[in-house]
Amino acid sequence: MPSASTPVDEYLTALRHSLAGPRRHKADLLAEARDHLTDATEAFEADGLDREQAEREALADFGELSDVVPGYRAELAISQSRRTAMLLFLALIVQPIVWLDGVWSWNDAPDRPSALNDVLQWVVQAVGMLSIAGAVLAVIATGVGLRFPLVRHHVSRVTAQFALVSAVAVGVISICMVTLNPYPIDVQAVSVVAGFVVLPLCFVGVQAGRCLRLARTA
């Protein structure tokens, strides 16, 4: 027969159900909580309490879920923001190659110059460079920048919002570049933009959405 759950087991189960975020970091936080509660329980047992009383005293010292959960959620939001920032940087760092003049049909010199194509080419380069610079700053902010309380407090929400805006802007402009260029749309153009621009940025957008939800609950 399965053993009855203990107060610590029930507490950790409730804590696990209250948290969302990167699995590995969540598992690490729960393991640290269990280790702390185990050590505290053993200390109270050494003072003469029975196991159940010792666990309840350990839980009382650890704190109510309503007091503990916000801090854990904030940590998971920061972890998700770090992941989002890295994915945004990786997705954007290949964009200068994708939009290199003369490499693909949509940015080759057209037989008939297109003012719209020229504008889109300039816009995608400008937005792309700004987004890359912002992604670098986000990576720094979610790393060494966490030493500063102001950065730690706002980094998850700001990173999520910036990543969403960047992913949507670069993705939309990229699609416009392919569909509105003077050449007929070909399989190569669609494949390159879908594989190296749209899909990676959609993935970044999903991660940024998760980050924003975590930031709102922290």
Side-chain angles (χ1 to χ4, degrees):
M1 295 180 61
S3 58
S5 62
T6 67
V8 167
D9 291 333
E10 294 173 357
Y11 183 93
L12 291 173
T13 298
L15 179 59
R16 183 175 67 252
H17 291 161
S18 300
L19 301 178
R23 292 181 180 179
R24 182 174 298 180
H25 195 187
K26 178 180 174 179
D28 289 342
L29 291 176
L30 290 171
E32 289 176 4
R34 179 175 290 278
D35 290 343
H36 178 87
L37 290 170
T38 298
D39 292 341
T41 298
E42 291 174 351
F44 282 115
E45 280 186 304
D47 289 339
L49 297 181
D50 63 38
R51 183 70 183 185
E52 183 173 350
Q53 288 178 321
E55 287 196 4
R56 295 193 183 282
E57 288 294 329
L59 290 172
D61 284 350
F62 195 75
E64 296 289 337
L65 281 176
S66 58
D67 297 325
V68 171
V69 166
Y72 278 90
R73 285 178 175 171
E75 286 298 318
L76 289 170
I78 289 172
S79 179
Q80 180 66 37
S81 69
R82 185 180 301 112
R83 172 184 293 185
T84 301
M86 285 299 303
L87 289 173
L88 178 64
F89 174 76
L90 293 175
L92 292 176
I93 199 65
V94 301
Q95 299 310 308
I97 300 175
V98 175
W99 305 109
L100 191 63
D101 289 340
V103 174
W104 313 105
S105 61
W106 61 84
N107 58 16
D108 196 3
D111 297 330
R112 295 186 299 276
S114 168
L116 177 59
N117 186 267
D118 291 341
V119 170
L120 289 174
Q121 182 78 5
W122 179 85
V123 170
V124 76
Q125 291 177 354
V127 172
M129 293 305 296
L130 288 174
S131 297
I132 290 173
V136 172
L137 290 177
V139 170
I140 295 172
T142 56
V144 297
L146 297 178
R147 300 174 183 175
F148 304 96
L150 183 63
V151 174
R152 172 176 283 272
H153 182 70
H154 295 287
V155 68
S156 298
R157 187 183 300 273
V158 173
T159 298
Q161 293 171 341
F162 177 79
L164 278 173
V165 171
S166 296
V168 171
V170 175
V172 169
I173 297 170
S174 301
I175 293 173
C176 290
M177 284 287 295
V178 175
T179 57
L180 300 178
N181 79 89
Y183 292 99
I185 298 176
D186 56 27
V187 175
Q188 181 197 47
V190 173
S191 299
V192 170
V193 172
F196 292 95
V197 182
V198 177
L199 289 180
L201 290 176
C202 284
F203 185 66
V204 170
V206 170
Q207 296 300 314
R210 292 176 180 174
C211 183
L212 192 57
R213 288 194 295 272
L214 289 173
R216 287 172 176 171
T217 59

